[in-house]
Every structure is written in C-alpha cells, then in structure tokens.
Amino acid sequence: MEAMLETLIAKISAYEEEEEAQKMMTPESIGNDVLTPFATSGSDPSSSTPILTIFDSPILGRRDNSVSQTPVSQPTSTRTTSCRPPKNERVRQILVDLLPPQNETNMIIRSSSSWFLTHALENRATLKTDSVSSSTLNLAELSKQHPTKIARSLMYIAVCLQQLDPTFDKSKLHLFPSLEARMEKMIVTVQGLVASDDELVSTLNGLETLVLLGAFHINAGNPRRAWMTFRRAMNIGQLMGIHKPDTSLEGGRQMWLQMTQGDRYLALLLGLPAGAADPSYNLDETFDNPDIDKDQLFSRKMCDLSTRIIERNENASTHAYATTQEIDEGLDRIAKEMPTSWWAIPDIVVNDRTSEAALTFDRLMIQVWFFQLEALLHLPFMLKSERRFEYSKFSCQKASREVLWRYLALRSAENKSFCCKIIDFGALTASVTLFLGLLEPLTGAESPERKSDRNLVQTVLESMEELSQGGKDVVATQSVNVLKSLLAIDDTSGRNTGNLKLTIPYFGTISIIRPHKAPQNPQTTLPYLQPEQQSGEQAQTSQHQQQAQVIDPNSAQQNWPSHSFIPQNATQQNPLNLPHVSFTSSQFPAIGPEQQIEDWGLPVEMDTLFFDSLLNTDIEGNWIF
C-alpha cells in the first residue's frame, strides 16, 4: 500500500511539473504582445504608426482595425480535461483572501489620515462613481469584481494602514500574524500578481493601482521603488494612449498628468532623467481663463520647470548659471500668477475630511514642492564665494524657511498620524541648508533673522523628536541625530572643536572642520593656512590671505566642483568659532580641479554620519550616490 501511495504521489508531482512547464509556454503566462492599445478619439493606433502604412496596399492588404478595445487572452492549452480555474479567477481568489472583514476595513479607514493622499486621485483621475473609497465600502460586492479592482482596494487599505494614528488600538484588528505582516503581504501580492502583469494592469484601474503603490513607497521612504513604479505606470499609460491630448479614455488625461508629476518629483530627487516629454497645453489652459483649475495648472508649470532643472543637472554646461537664472525667472513668473491669499500658511490643517481641508492640504503640498524646487535650483551656488552668487545663497535660505514653516503646519497637532517620510526628508534637507547659513561668521551683532533661523531649526528638531516615537520612526530618529550634531557645532562658546562629515543620499556630503586649538597670535595669523605659509614678510602674508579667500578662481566657467566658503574678516574672529564648511552635491559632477580637505592644512580626523534610513528599506543594488 505504501509503495502504491508513493507511486501515486510521484505521478501527481510529475503531472504538476509538466503542467507548469506547459503553462510557461502558453499565451496565458506571457500575456498578449504587449498590450492592445486603446483607441483615441484622434486616430486609430494603426493609422498613427508610420511603419504600418506600408501594408496599406492592394497587394499586401491591411490588417483589420476592428479589434476589441480590451485585451483578449488566447486559449491556454489544447487540453480540455483540466479542472484548473482560469488565471484571472485564481488571482481574484488570492486577492480576496487578503481583504480584511468589512467592519475592520471601515475602522481602518475612519482612523487613518490617508484621505489626505487619496482624495486628489479620486477627484481628478477617476469617476467618482467608481472611486476606490466607494468600492471599499462594499467588500462583498467588490469580491465579485475584476482582480484589478480588488488590487486597487487592497492598495488603498494598505495606504490606510500605513497612515493609522499611532494611538490607534491595533488589538481591535484581527490581521494575522500582525498588522505590519499583513500590510507587507498585500504589497508583495499586488506587486507580484497584478502590477507586473501587462494584461491586468493595462486599464485605468490598473494604473490607479500602480499610483497607489507608488504613493505607498513614497510614504514609506522608498524613493527608488516609487520611481520604478511610476515609470512602469507611465510606460503602460503610453501604450494605452493616455499621453495624447485627444485620448478618449475618460480620466486618462488627468491620470497621465498625475503620473508625470510623480515621476518629475522622484527623478529630481534621485538625479535621474525625466520619463517623458512635458505634456502639451490646450489653448484654454492659461491663467487668464477664469474657468481653469489654477492649482492644477500651477502644478503643471512647476512640472515643466523641474524638467529644466533635471536637464541642467545632467548637462552641467558652462552656461549652467545662466540657465539657473532663466529657471528662477520662470518660478517667479508662475508664483506671481497666484494671489497673495493663496500663499498664506494656515495655523492648523484641520483633519475633518471636508473639501476645504483637502484643498488646504493640497495647496500646502504644492507650495512645499515649489520651494523645494527653488532651493534645489540654487543649492549648487549657495556656498560659492563670489559676490554674484549671493542671490543664490539668499534664495536657498529663503526657500528653506518656507519649506520648514509649511512642514510644521503639516505636522500640527491634528496630523500627527500623517506619514510621509519623503516630506520628513525634505524638512531635514531644508534644515541642513538653513544651518549652512548659520555657520557663516558674524561681522557684528547677531541679526534677528539669524536668531529666527536657529529657533526654526530647533522647533523642527522638537517636532521630529516627537515624531520619532522613541526610535520607531527611523527617518525621524536619524534626522534628530543629524540636527543635534549640527546644532552642537553651531556652539559659539568655542568648546566644541570636533569635526564632522555628514553624507545624506540624494542630497550631498557636508564636511565641517574646526582647528584643534587657537593660534597664539590671532591678529596676524591667517586662518586655515599651512604653518610654512604663515612665515615671511607682510606682503607675502597679504598675498596668502587673498589666495585663501579665493577658492575657485575659474568659477566663471561654471563647473560643478565641491563648494566651500572661507569666512570673511577671519582675522577679526575667534578661530574656534570659524568652521570651514564644504558641501559636495550628489546631483552634480565634479569637473575640473577641486580643493580637497587635505589642502586646507587642517586635521582630517572627523566623526562620520551617514543618513541611510532611506536606503535600508529600499531596493538593494549597486547604487551610486
């Protein structure tokens, strides 16, 4: 009997292996080639493809254009005796098994701040009658729908779980083995079964699933995963034809604009090229049109300008500063199109799920992006010593203040549960940028603006300390450590003489060095020069001083070296209070000769901080920063 059972098991295993091998070679497993494009109102896909016009002859004939608008799967096998359910049915059942009970789903949605992130998608990209939130309110009916709709609701629930209030009693949810494990399983399953399937994802519901998946990765602090998700959504969207202004798919145009904006934001952050050309404008899409959605048009204009910043960063040409000035004029021009009241910062963003609260949140996020663009535009020139770059320094510091003020508004008392690690990361880089200005030496009494900047950084630090939840939020925890280390260096008492090297991926590397001890004759000793340079006649001393204060004499060529500044009037200051600061941007190549740390005549031993919390949970690989 045992021998017979073993033989039976062996035959079953062999049958399953044969079936899997055959399944790999069927159209069901590889999908149609590649997608059946959706027709647009302007022209048929075949007529708009130049290579297909060669078949438009009486001899060769032309392929039939009366194809279905939705992909049709081919028969999976000539064998008809298999009782295995179709692929879509198998996927549907796997996804349905991941859905929480209806009462727990309702509880998750009510206790989450995810509506901040999803309402824009519903209002602009899809029909309100088919919105993801309305579909999730009836899971029994949803379970009978197409797998893509179920996957979309699963991603919505995952985002809601991500945005749960930290004080929420998780014991009320029976998600086994744990809430975090169930959320991760939702992401992995949707990513493996739906997002990677060309047939399933080639619908507006499929694209919405990808956008929600990308939003989840952005909030989780995984920018590379988010970028690849948005880039896949754009590729699928192009094959569906929604990138064309005359697309006939309802909501397709708005979906394309949203995906493009997400791609631009992530591409600029990661130092990658844009995924597609900027969408064209219709004749009525101007600020002069009283019926136009100015907020949306403003976002599109920012998207265009971010593309120009990306191109400037990639080219690093000799005319980079001239390009920077042109882009800055463009930012200033679109800013003036919005009324003064539009730029007002609310004291608090009320989390009451009203349209007014949603509009306020949208505006704050748009404004944060605007000022981040302004800071990233001028950052390469911020620490250049030439006087003509003073405007870049002023613009960087001003934009950083604006980002931090809005960050604190977003992190108000009613929004403690709002989770977006990329926004937290933006607040950190804005704080670091503002801090670089604090390290410049004083020429007199400390200005009120300087005191205000220090207090602002301190306030952001306190907000992040509260957000870190005792180390549970890794991004906030590392941000707290970074800001504390920087504020310790900005100690005017002269007791802190340590050196620091801080590396922030997607931002750059900051090196801060102080002398170990004060020179014996600070009135005649030049800062940061080799001992042999300090000997000689007074004329030689003056010549050395001039050389020490001019870091890059060839800066007119607009190369992209590491930028550093030498404190002005250094001989009148206490050298212990004059740190030497160098900033190397991760977005710009270092072209031409650079001044290395070793050339400063200072000890190079320093504490090293590496802000790696955005890397630990992201895609592993041989990434270059």
Short mmCIF file of all heavy atoms in Angstrom, two decimals, residues 566-617:
data_model
loop_
_atom_site.label_atom_id
_atom_site.label_comp_id
_atom_site.label_asym_id
_atom_site.label_seq_id
_atom_site.Cartn_x
_atom_site.Cartn_y
_atom_site.Cartn_z
N ILE A 566 35.25 80.43 2.74
CA ILE A 566 36.21 80.88 3.76
C ILE A 566 35.57 82.08 4.45
O ILE A 566 35.09 83.00 3.79
CB ILE A 566 37.54 81.30 3.11
CG1 ILE A 566 38.23 80.07 2.51
CG2 ILE A 566 38.42 82.00 4.12
CD1 ILE A 566 38.75 79.12 3.56
N PRO A 567 35.50 82.09 5.77
CA PRO A 567 34.87 83.20 6.48
C PRO A 567 35.54 84.53 6.14
O PRO A 567 36.76 84.62 6.06
CB PRO A 567 35.07 82.85 7.96
CG PRO A 567 35.27 81.37 7.96
CD PRO A 567 35.96 81.04 6.68
N GLN A 568 34.73 85.55 5.88
CA GLN A 568 35.26 86.88 5.64
C GLN A 568 35.69 87.51 6.97
O GLN A 568 35.16 87.22 8.03
CB GLN A 568 34.18 87.75 4.96
CG GLN A 568 33.69 87.16 3.63
CD GLN A 568 34.78 87.10 2.60
OE1 GLN A 568 35.57 88.04 2.48
NE2 GLN A 568 34.84 86.00 1.86
N ASN A 569 36.64 88.45 6.88
CA ASN A 569 37.17 89.11 8.08
C ASN A 569 37.62 88.08 9.11
O ASN A 569 37.36 88.20 10.30
CB ASN A 569 36.13 90.04 8.69
CG ASN A 569 35.67 91.11 7.72
OD1 ASN A 569 36.47 91.60 6.93
ND2 ASN A 569 34.37 91.44 7.76
N ALA A 570 38.31 87.06 8.63
CA ALA A 570 38.63 85.95 9.51
C ALA A 570 39.60 86.35 10.61
O ALA A 570 39.56 85.80 11.70
CB ALA A 570 39.22 84.81 8.68
N THR A 571 40.46 87.32 10.31
CA THR A 571 41.45 87.67 11.31
C THR A 571 40.85 88.40 12.50
O THR A 571 41.50 88.57 13.51
CB THR A 571 42.54 88.55 10.67
OG1 THR A 571 41.92 89.72 10.13
CG2 THR A 571 43.25 87.80 9.55
N GLN A 572 39.58 88.84 12.37
CA GLN A 572 38.95 89.56 13.47
C GLN A 572 38.07 88.64 14.31
O GLN A 572 37.39 89.09 15.20
CB GLN A 572 38.11 90.70 12.89
CG GLN A 572 38.91 91.69 12.08
CD GLN A 572 38.02 92.73 11.43
OE1 GLN A 572 36.83 92.80 11.72
NE2 GLN A 572 38.61 93.56 10.56
N GLN A 573 38.06 87.34 14.00
CA GLN A 573 37.18 86.42 14.70
C GLN A 573 38.01 85.43 15.51
O GLN A 573 39.20 85.23 15.28
CB GLN A 573 36.31 85.65 13.69
CG GLN A 573 35.53 86.54 12.74
CD GLN A 573 34.47 87.34 13.46
OE1 GLN A 573 33.88 86.86 14.42
NE2 GLN A 573 34.25 88.55 13.01
N ASN A 574 37.33 84.79 16.43
CA ASN A 574 37.96 83.72 17.18
C ASN A 574 38.03 82.49 16.28
O ASN A 574 36.99 82.00 15.85
CB ASN A 574 37.12 83.42 18.43
CG ASN A 574 37.73 82.32 19.28
OD1 ASN A 574 38.73 81.71 18.90
ND2 ASN A 574 37.12 82.09 20.43
N PRO A 575 39.20 81.95 15.96
CA PRO A 575 39.28 80.83 15.04
C PRO A 575 38.47 79.62 15.49
O PRO A 575 38.06 78.83 14.67
CB PRO A 575 40.78 80.52 14.99
CG PRO A 575 41.44 81.81 15.38
CD PRO A 575 40.52 82.45 16.37
N LEU A 576 38.27 79.47 16.80
CA LEU A 576 37.46 78.34 17.25
C LEU A 576 36.03 78.46 16.78
O LEU A 576 35.30 77.47 16.72
CB LEU A 576 37.50 78.26 18.78
CG LEU A 576 38.79 77.74 19.39
CD1 LEU A 576 38.71 77.82 20.90
CD2 LEU A 576 39.08 76.33 18.94
N ASN A 577 35.59 79.66 16.46
CA ASN A 577 34.22 79.87 16.02
C ASN A 577 34.12 79.97 14.49
O ASN A 577 33.11 80.43 13.98
CB ASN A 577 33.65 81.14 16.64
CG ASN A 577 33.52 81.02 18.15
OD1 ASN A 577 33.29 79.92 18.65
ND2 ASN A 577 33.70 82.12 18.84
N LEU A 578 35.19 79.62 13.79
CA LEU A 578 35.20 79.75 12.34
C LEU A 578 35.36 78.38 11.69
O LEU A 578 36.43 78.02 11.23
CB LEU A 578 36.34 80.67 11.90
CG LEU A 578 36.26 82.12 12.39
CD1 LEU A 578 37.47 82.89 11.93
CD2 LEU A 578 34.98 82.76 11.92
N PRO A 579 34.32 77.58 11.63
CA PRO A 579 34.43 76.28 10.97
C PRO A 579 34.58 76.44 9.47
O PRO A 579 34.04 77.37 8.87
CB PRO A 579 33.11 75.59 11.32
CG PRO A 579 32.15 76.71 11.52
CD PRO A 579 32.95 77.83 12.15
N HIS A 580 35.34 75.54 8.89
CA HIS A 580 35.47 75.52 7.44
C HIS A 580 34.46 74.50 6.92
O HIS A 580 34.46 73.35 7.33
CB HIS A 580 36.88 75.11 7.04
CG HIS A 580 37.18 75.37 5.59
ND1 HIS A 580 38.27 76.09 5.18
CD2 HIS A 580 36.52 75.03 4.46
CE1 HIS A 580 38.28 76.17 3.87
NE2 HIS A 580 37.22 75.53 3.41
N VAL A 581 33.58 74.94 6.01
CA VAL A 581 32.47 74.12 5.54
C VAL A 581 32.65 73.80 4.07
O VAL A 581 32.95 74.70 3.27
CB VAL A 581 31.12 74.83 5.76
CG1 VAL A 581 29.97 73.94 5.30
CG2 VAL A 581 30.96 75.19 7.23
N SER A 582 32.48 72.56 3.70
CA SER A 582 32.50 72.13 2.31
C SER A 582 31.25 71.32 2.04
O SER A 582 30.86 70.46 2.84
CB SER A 582 33.74 71.29 2.02
OG SER A 582 33.66 70.73 0.72
N PHE A 583 30.62 71.61 0.91
CA PHE A 583 29.42 70.87 0.51
C PHE A 583 29.61 70.33 -0.91
O PHE A 583 29.93 71.09 -1.83
CB PHE A 583 28.18 71.76 0.55
CG PHE A 583 26.94 71.11 -0.02
CD1 PHE A 583 26.33 70.06 0.65
CD2 PHE A 583 26.42 71.52 -1.23
CE1 PHE A 583 25.21 69.44 0.13
CE2 PHE A 583 25.29 70.92 -1.76
CZ PHE A 583 24.69 69.87 -1.08
N THR A 584 29.43 69.02 -1.08
CA THR A 584 29.51 68.38 -2.38
C THR A 584 28.14 67.82 -2.70
O THR A 584 27.65 66.91 -2.02
CB THR A 584 30.55 67.25 -2.39
OG1 THR A 584 31.81 67.77 -2.00
CG2 THR A 584 30.67 66.65 -3.79
N SER A 585 27.49 68.36 -3.72
CA SER A 585 26.16 67.90 -4.08
C SER A 585 26.21 66.55 -4.76
O SER A 585 27.12 66.26 -5.53
CB SER A 585 25.49 68.92 -5.02
OG SER A 585 24.26 68.41 -5.50
N SER A 586 25.24 65.70 -4.45
CA SER A 586 25.16 64.40 -5.10
C SER A 586 24.56 64.49 -6.49
O SER A 586 24.54 63.50 -7.23
CB SER A 586 24.32 63.44 -4.25
OG SER A 586 22.99 63.93 -4.12
N GLN A 587 24.05 65.66 -6.87
CA GLN A 587 23.39 65.83 -8.15
C GLN A 587 24.31 66.34 -9.25
O GLN A 587 23.96 66.31 -10.42
CB GLN A 587 22.21 66.81 -8.02
CG GLN A 587 21.22 66.46 -6.93
CD GLN A 587 20.38 65.24 -7.27
OE1 GLN A 587 20.54 64.67 -8.35
NE2 GLN A 587 19.51 64.86 -6.38
N PHE A 588 25.51 66.81 -8.87
CA PHE A 588 26.35 67.48 -9.85
C PHE A 588 27.72 66.81 -9.92
O PHE A 588 28.32 66.52 -8.89
CB PHE A 588 26.55 68.95 -9.48
CG PHE A 588 25.25 69.68 -9.32
CD1 PHE A 588 24.71 69.87 -8.06
CD2 PHE A 588 24.56 70.15 -10.42
CE1 PHE A 588 23.51 70.52 -7.91
CE2 PHE A 588 23.36 70.80 -10.27
CZ PHE A 588 22.83 70.99 -9.02
N PRO A 589 28.23 66.58 -11.13
CA PRO A 589 29.57 66.02 -11.26
C PRO A 589 30.63 67.05 -10.91
O PRO A 589 30.44 68.25 -11.13
CB PRO A 589 29.65 65.64 -12.74
CG PRO A 589 28.69 66.57 -13.42
CD PRO A 589 27.58 66.83 -12.42
N ALA A 590 31.72 66.60 -10.35
CA ALA A 590 32.84 67.49 -10.01
C ALA A 590 33.77 67.57 -11.21
O ALA A 590 34.47 66.62 -11.54
CB ALA A 590 33.58 66.97 -8.79
N ILE A 591 33.74 68.69 -11.92
CA ILE A 591 34.53 68.87 -13.13
C ILE A 591 35.66 69.84 -12.83
O ILE A 591 35.45 70.89 -12.25
CB ILE A 591 33.66 69.42 -14.28
CG1 ILE A 591 32.48 68.47 -14.54
CG2 ILE A 591 34.49 69.63 -15.53
CD1 ILE A 591 31.54 68.98 -15.59
N GLY A 592 36.85 69.47 -13.26
CA GLY A 592 37.97 70.36 -13.07
C GLY A 592 38.63 70.18 -11.72
O GLY A 592 38.25 69.33 -10.92
N PRO A 593 39.63 71.00 -11.42
CA PRO A 593 40.35 70.87 -10.15
C PRO A 593 39.48 71.23 -8.97
O PRO A 593 38.66 72.13 -9.04
CB PRO A 593 41.52 71.86 -10.31
CG PRO A 593 41.02 72.86 -11.31
CD PRO A 593 40.13 72.10 -12.25
N GLU A 594 39.66 70.50 -7.89
CA GLU A 594 38.91 70.76 -6.67
C GLU A 594 39.88 71.02 -5.54
O GLU A 594 41.02 70.58 -5.55
CB GLU A 594 38.03 69.56 -6.31
CG GLU A 594 36.97 69.22 -7.32
CD GLU A 594 36.11 68.07 -6.83
OE1 GLU A 594 35.81 68.02 -5.62
OE2 GLU A 594 35.76 67.21 -7.65
N GLN A 595 39.40 71.69 -4.55
CA GLN A 595 40.19 71.89 -3.34
C GLN A 595 39.81 70.80 -2.35
O GLN A 595 38.68 70.75 -1.88
CB GLN A 595 39.93 73.26 -2.73
CG GLN A 595 40.85 73.52 -1.54
CD GLN A 595 40.60 74.86 -0.92
OE1 GLN A 595 39.49 75.33 -0.94
NE2 GLN A 595 41.62 75.47 -0.37
N GLN A 596 40.70 69.89 -2.10
CA GLN A 596 40.44 68.78 -1.20
C GLN A 596 40.62 69.22 0.25
O GLN A 596 41.24 70.23 0.56
CB GLN A 596 41.38 67.62 -1.52
CG GLN A 596 41.30 67.14 -2.97
CD GLN A 596 39.94 66.57 -3.29
OE1 GLN A 596 39.26 66.03 -2.42
NE2 GLN A 596 39.54 66.68 -4.55
N ILE A 597 40.06 68.41 1.13
CA ILE A 597 40.17 68.71 2.56
C ILE A 597 41.64 68.76 2.98
O ILE A 597 42.03 69.58 3.80
CB ILE A 597 39.42 67.67 3.38
CG1 ILE A 597 37.92 67.75 3.05
CG2 ILE A 597 39.65 67.84 4.87
CD1 ILE A 597 37.09 66.72 3.78
N GLU A 598 42.43 67.88 2.36
CA GLU A 598 43.84 67.83 2.76
C GLU A 598 44.56 69.13 2.44
O GLU A 598 45.59 69.45 3.03
CB GLU A 598 44.54 66.66 2.04
CG GLU A 598 44.10 65.28 2.53
CD GLU A 598 42.77 64.83 1.94
OE1 GLU A 598 42.20 65.62 1.14
OE2 GLU A 598 42.31 63.73 2.27
N ASP A 599 44.02 69.90 1.46
CA ASP A 599 44.67 71.14 1.07
C ASP A 599 44.42 72.28 2.04
O ASP A 599 45.00 73.34 1.91
CB ASP A 599 44.20 71.56 -0.33
CG ASP A 599 44.56 70.53 -1.39
OD1 ASP A 599 45.53 69.79 -1.15
OD2 ASP A 599 43.86 70.46 -2.42
N TRP A 600 43.52 72.06 2.99
CA TRP A 600 43.19 73.16 3.90
C TRP A 600 44.23 73.33 5.01
O TRP A 600 44.20 74.30 5.73
CB TRP A 600 41.83 72.90 4.57
CG TRP A 600 40.70 72.84 3.59
CD1 TRP A 600 40.70 73.24 2.30
CD2 TRP A 600 39.39 72.34 3.85
NE1 TRP A 600 39.48 73.01 1.72
CE2 TRP A 600 38.66 72.48 2.65
CE3 TRP A 600 38.74 71.80 4.96
CZ2 TRP A 600 37.34 72.08 2.53
CZ3 TRP A 600 37.42 71.41 4.86
CH2 TRP A 600 36.73 71.55 3.65
N GLY A 601 45.13 72.36 5.13
CA GLY A 601 46.09 72.43 6.21
C GLY A 601 45.48 72.14 7.56
O GLY A 601 45.95 72.62 8.57
N LEU A 602 44.42 71.34 7.58
CA LEU A 602 43.73 71.03 8.83
C LEU A 602 43.71 69.53 9.04
O LEU A 602 43.82 68.74 8.10
CB LEU A 602 42.28 71.54 8.76
CG LEU A 602 42.12 73.05 8.65
CD1 LEU A 602 40.67 73.40 8.45
CD2 LEU A 602 42.64 73.72 9.91
N PRO A 603 43.58 69.08 10.27
CA PRO A 603 43.46 67.64 10.53
C PRO A 603 42.19 67.10 9.91
O PRO A 603 41.15 67.76 9.91
CB PRO A 603 43.42 67.56 12.06
CG PRO A 603 42.96 68.90 12.50
CD PRO A 603 43.50 69.88 11.51
N VAL A 604 42.24 65.91 9.34
CA VAL A 604 41.10 65.34 8.63
C VAL A 604 40.35 64.31 9.47
O VAL A 604 39.39 63.72 8.99
CB VAL A 604 41.56 64.68 7.31
CG1 VAL A 604 42.12 65.73 6.38
CG2 VAL A 604 42.60 63.59 7.58
N GLU A 605 40.79 64.07 10.72
CA GLU A 605 40.03 63.16 11.57
C GLU A 605 38.69 63.79 11.90
O GLU A 605 38.62 64.93 12.34
CB GLU A 605 40.79 62.85 12.86
CG GLU A 605 42.09 62.10 12.64
CD GLU A 605 43.24 63.00 12.25
OE1 GLU A 605 43.04 64.23 12.24
OE2 GLU A 605 44.33 62.48 11.95
N MET A 606 37.62 63.04 11.68
CA MET A 606 36.31 63.61 11.92
C MET A 606 35.31 62.50 12.18
O MET A 606 35.50 61.36 11.78
CB MET A 606 35.85 64.46 10.73
CG MET A 606 35.77 63.72 9.41
SD MET A 606 35.28 64.79 8.05
CE MET A 606 36.69 65.87 7.99
N ASP A 607 34.25 62.87 12.91
CA ASP A 607 33.13 61.96 13.09
C ASP A 607 32.35 61.87 11.77
O ASP A 607 32.20 62.86 11.06
CB ASP A 607 32.21 62.45 14.21
CG ASP A 607 32.91 62.46 15.55
OD1 ASP A 607 33.78 61.59 15.76
OD2 ASP A 607 32.59 63.33 16.38
N THR A 608 31.86 60.69 11.47
CA THR A 608 31.15 60.47 10.22
C THR A 608 29.72 60.04 10.51
O THR A 608 29.48 59.11 11.29
CB THR A 608 31.85 59.40 9.37
OG1 THR A 608 33.19 59.82 9.09
CG2 THR A 608 31.11 59.17 8.05
N LEU A 609 28.78 60.74 9.90
CA LEU A 609 27.37 60.37 9.97
C LEU A 609 26.89 60.03 8.58
O LEU A 609 27.19 60.75 7.62
CB LEU A 609 26.53 61.53 10.54
CG LEU A 609 26.73 61.89 12.01
CD1 LEU A 609 25.84 63.08 12.36
CD2 LEU A 609 26.40 60.72 12.91
N PHE A 610 26.14 58.94 8.46
CA PHE A 610 25.58 58.55 7.17
C PHE A 610 24.08 58.37 7.35
O PHE A 610 23.63 57.48 8.06
CB PHE A 610 26.21 57.26 6.66
CG PHE A 610 25.79 56.90 5.26
CD1 PHE A 610 26.23 57.65 4.18
CD2 PHE A 610 24.97 55.82 5.02
CE1 PHE A 610 25.84 57.33 2.90
CE2 PHE A 610 24.58 55.49 3.73
CZ PHE A 610 25.02 56.25 2.67
N PHE A 611 23.33 59.25 6.71
CA PHE A 611 21.88 59.21 6.82
C PHE A 611 21.36 58.14 5.85
O PHE A 611 21.11 58.40 4.68
CB PHE A 611 21.30 60.58 6.46
CG PHE A 611 19.81 60.69 6.69
CD1 PHE A 611 19.32 61.12 7.91
CD2 PHE A 611 18.91 60.38 5.69
CE1 PHE A 611 17.95 61.24 8.12
CE2 PHE A 611 17.55 60.49 5.88
CZ PHE A 611 17.07 60.92 7.10
N ASP A 612 21.22 56.91 6.35
CA ASP A 612 20.92 55.78 5.47
C ASP A 612 19.51 55.22 5.64
O ASP A 612 19.20 54.16 5.11
CB ASP A 612 21.92 54.65 5.70
CG ASP A 612 21.90 54.14 7.14
OD1 ASP A 612 21.20 54.75 7.97
OD2 ASP A 612 22.59 53.15 7.43
N SER A 613 18.64 55.92 6.38
CA SER A 613 17.32 55.35 6.64
C SER A 613 16.47 55.24 5.39
O SER A 613 15.57 54.41 5.31
CB SER A 613 16.58 56.18 7.69
OG SER A 613 16.48 57.53 7.28
N LEU A 614 16.74 56.07 4.36
CA LEU A 614 16.01 55.95 3.11
C LEU A 614 16.59 54.86 2.21
O LEU A 614 16.05 54.59 1.16
CB LEU A 614 16.01 57.28 2.35
CG LEU A 614 15.21 58.42 2.96
CD1 LEU A 614 15.20 59.61 2.03
CD2 LEU A 614 13.78 57.99 3.26
N LEU A 615 17.68 54.25 2.63
CA LEU A 615 18.30 53.20 1.83
C LEU A 615 18.04 51.81 2.39
O LEU A 615 17.95 50.84 1.65
CB LEU A 615 19.83 53.42 1.75
CG LEU A 615 20.30 54.78 1.27
CD1 LEU A 615 21.82 54.82 1.26
CD2 LEU A 615 19.76 55.09 -0.10
N ASN A 616 17.89 51.73 3.69
CA ASN A 616 17.79 50.41 4.32
C ASN A 616 16.54 49.65 3.91
O ASN A 616 16.54 48.41 3.86
CB ASN A 616 17.82 50.55 5.85
CG ASN A 616 19.17 51.02 6.35
OD1 ASN A 616 20.17 50.85 5.65
ND2 ASN A 616 19.20 51.62 7.52
N THR A 617 15.43 50.36 3.63
CA THR A 617 14.19 49.69 3.28
C THR A 617 13.91 49.74 1.79
O THR A 617 12.90 49.22 1.34
CB THR A 617 13.01 50.36 4.01
OG1 THR A 617 12.94 51.74 3.65
CG2 THR A 617 13.17 50.24 5.50
#
